[in-house]
Amino acid sequence: MPAPSLPGLRMIGPLVGFLVLVEITSGILQGYYTPLLTDIARHLGIDDGDVNWFESAQLMLSALAVPILAKLGDIYGHKRILLVSTVLTAAASWGVAFAPDFWTFLAAWSLQGFYVVWLPMEIALIFSRVRHAPNRAVLTRKAAGLLVGALELGVIGGALLGGVLVEHFPLWFTLCLPAAAVTLCIFAVHFGVPESTALDGGTVDRTGFVLLAAGLLLLTSGLTFLRINGPGTWWVWAVLAAGVASFIPFVRYELGQKDPLVDFRMLRSPSMWPVQLTAGLFGISVLGAQAPMSTFARTDPGLHGYGLGLAASQVSIIIGTYVLALLVGALLFPLAARRTTPRNTLVGASLLVGVGYGLFLPFHDTLPQALMNMVVAGLGSGALVAALPSAAAAAAPLNRTGMATGLTNTTKTIGGSFASAVFGIALAGAAADALAGGAADAGTVAPLQGYLTVWAVCSVTAFIAAAVLLLVPRLAFADPPLAAAAASEEAAA
């Protein structure tokens, strides 16, 4: 009904405005450094391959930090945790700017990963703010679309700005800009964001955190070593097996707790577990497939018979197109959810990701083909980035929204780590096979079969996610009046 929506919009308008500033800064952090990585490697005196440690270390910290920060948000306030994580990210960003050596830079870069909790905390803040509104799910979806749209604008602006500034200013000065942006966000959060009111009031499950940290550390470390050392190293598989096995005592312990760090009873809900599984499957493509796309675009088809033969500066055409598609997908998500249902929108977004990457299998020879594929995948990806946290918030109890939204980021990060390891093996293995067959330059350029494997995995996992989401009740994530009316209709039928 239109009438209740107006107070809801007035209620969250200023809040969303300040959170948009935070998400623009989040986008800057995610896009700004990409064109600077070669300059950073030269400044630190490391090989280009060592840059991979930055991503691995930050993903590892993110996987460890988000669950505990999300729980702390439910206990002490989502604004408070958003503010603390912003302060930590600002300090780390200044450390990145002035790090004198590789190890200091790696530590600062890793700690910068605290920003991944921003979006889950923001969704929890918004959901808490509108919890009494009859159209709270609609308002949350609209706000989520705006926040993700701001995020993608920040990615585009950051990538363009970083590439321009590094050509005219010293590297240390160029690296100061994102640090300054995060510092300004501290004031935006402190003065512009009200605290959430639906708090858990519980305690921190320290034993659960230790068990979870041990499991995630073993799992993410094993995936990192798998990518670096290859599948032929036996002890890598031992680390991975230990990581998987460690979750058995963790789950058993958490199920016996009155106030767990991770509420597995909540996760067993038919509206929740498909969302979390989809987040993990989605992480495979959104976090794992972009680097292979970049190297494929740089491969010279005249020498290797495949690739797009683009220069480094031209790769930004593909990246920019993909990010713009993400932006459009995020903004269209609430409209599509209103015309169909939130569940069907999630299913449709997953199908778009599957179709987009599936199109790469027959169509990858020209830049227009690649752009078409990335637009299709990007539209679905943008909708999923916006939809998954808001769907998790809608499916969770009011005092568990931080936990639920935070877990979508954790599972997505684990999916991305898994994909990074598997895709690295696929591309390296294909290159080794080609080298054994006498292919020129195969030691440094992965043959087409490796890229086909990457795209096939991304496509299949997206289709699996769509199938899993069909198990969600039809009107899950909808507002209470709509769900009640639909339930009455079904009962009458």
Side-chain angles (χ1 to χ4, degrees):
M1 298 190 308
S5 67
L6 292 176
L9 289 173
R10 294 193 195 103
M11 185 186 304
I12 64 172
L15 169 63
V16 172
F18 281 102
L19 295 181
V20 160
L21 297 177
V22 177
E23 280 308 301
I24 289 175
T25 305
S26 176
I28 291 173
L29 289 177
Q30 296 178 53
Y32 189 86
Y33 298 102
T34 302
L36 310 181
L37 290 177
T38 298
D39 300 273
I40 291 172
R42 300 296 172 268
H43 170 70
L44 298 175
I46 61 175
D47 296 332
D48 289 346
D50 292 330
V51 172
N52 290 331
W53 282 103
F54 301 156
E55 177 192 10
S56 300
Q58 194 174 95
L59 285 175
M60 190 179 302
L61 181 133
S62 299
L64 293 171
V66 171
I68 184 65
L69 290 177
K71 176 62 176 178
L72 290 173
D74 287 335
I75 296 175
Y76 298 112
H78 304 112
K79 172 193 172 172
R80 183 174 297 180
I81 298 305
L82 177 61
L83 184 60
V84 169
S85 63
T86 305
V87 171
L88 292 172
T89 304
S93 299
W94 287 111
V96 166
F98 294 103
D101 54 51
F102 170 75
W103 294 109
T104 306
F105 188 96
L106 181 63
W109 185 277
S110 302
L111 294 173
Q112 211 178 30
F114 281 112
Y115 78 86
V116 298
V117 81
W118 289 356
L119 185 60
M121 289 299 97
E122 291 161 5
I123 299 298
L125 278 165
I126 291 167
F127 199 81
S128 173
R129 189 73 171 168
V130 300
R131 69 188 187 280
H132 295 307
N135 57 345
R136 64 192 184 195
V138 171
L139 291 172
T140 303
R141 287 194 292 270
K142 288 181 178 179
L146 291 174
L147 293 179
V148 175
L151 166 67
E152 304 307 337
L153 284 176
V155 171
I156 296 171
L160 294 175
L161 190 60
V164 171
L165 291 181
V166 76
E167 295 180 356
H168 298 90
F169 296 98
L171 180 63
W172 69 267
F173 181 84
T174 303
L175 294 176
C176 284
L177 188 141
V182 180
T183 302
L184 292 175
C185 280
I186 296 174
F187 298 96
V189 174
H190 180 69
F191 294 106
V193 177
E195 184 57 274
S196 52
T197 55
L199 301 180
D200 189 358
T203 58
V204 177
D205 179 10
R206 294 180 177 85
T207 302
F209 172 70
V210 171
L211 292 172
L212 177 62
L216 288 176
L217 188 61
L218 285 169
L219 192 60
T220 54
S221 298
L223 290 171
T224 300
F225 294 139
L226 183 64
R227 180 177 59 181
I228 296 172
N229 299 95
T233 308
W234 69 268
W235 58 265
V236 169
W237 295 104
V239 173
L240 283 171
V244 173
S246 68
F247 282 94
I248 297 175
F250 171 66
V251 172
R252 289 179 175 175
Y253 176 82
E254 292 294 279
L255 288 174
Q257 300 304 302
K258 181 179 178 181
D259 187 23
L261 178 68
V262 178
D263 190 344
F264 284 98
R265 293 180 178 85
M266 175 189 72
L267 291 179
R268 289 189 297 197
S269 162
S271 297
M272 181 63 73
W273 72 262
V275 172
Q276 300 297 342
L277 179 56
T278 296
L281 294 171
F282 175 52
I284 291 175
S285 62
V286 76
L287 296 178
Q290 306 318 308
M293 185 68 245
S294 178
T295 56
F296 178 83
R298 294 292 304 277
T299 303
D300 188 349
L303 292 176
H304 306 286
Y306 66 93
L308 302 179
L310 301 182
S313 59
Q314 294 174 312
V315 176
S316 61
I317 298 174
I318 295 179
I319 297 173
T321 300
Y322 178 67
V323 173
L324 283 173
L326 284 170
L327 171 61
V328 174
L331 296 176
L332 289 179
F333 151 65
L335 300 176
R338 185 175 61 188
R339 289 183 175 274
T340 58
T341 65
R343 185 201 70 167
N344 290 343
T345 303
L346 281 164
V347 172
S350 298
L351 290 175
L352 282 175
V353 175
V355 170
Y357 283 103
L359 286 172
F360 271 109
L361 299 178
F363 304 114
H364 51 256
D365 298 322
T366 65
L367 179 59
Q369 290 178 349
L371 293 177
M372 174 190 68
N373 302 342
M374 294 307 290
V375 165
V376 175
L379 288 172
S381 298
L384 286 175
V385 170
L388 290 172
S390 59
L398 288 177
N399 62 348
R400 292 285 195 270
T401 53
M403 178 190 296
T405 56
L407 282 173
T408 61
N409 262 25
T410 300
T411 54
K412 185 170 68 175
T413 299
I414 293 173
S417 298
F418 170 79
S420 180
V422 172
F423 292 167
I425 293 170
L427 294 173
D433 291 343
L435 184 61
D441 200 26
T444 57
V445 177
L448 179 59
Q449 186 60 43
Y451 292 106
L452 293 176
T453 301
V454 170
W455 297 326
V457 169
C458 291
S459 179
V460 169
T461 52
F463 286 130
I464 292 173
V468 166
L469 289 167
L470 288 174
L471 301 176
V472 174
R474 185 171 65 89
L475 285 170
F477 326 125
D479 287 309
L482 177 60
S488 299
E489 293 176 4
E490 291 180 358

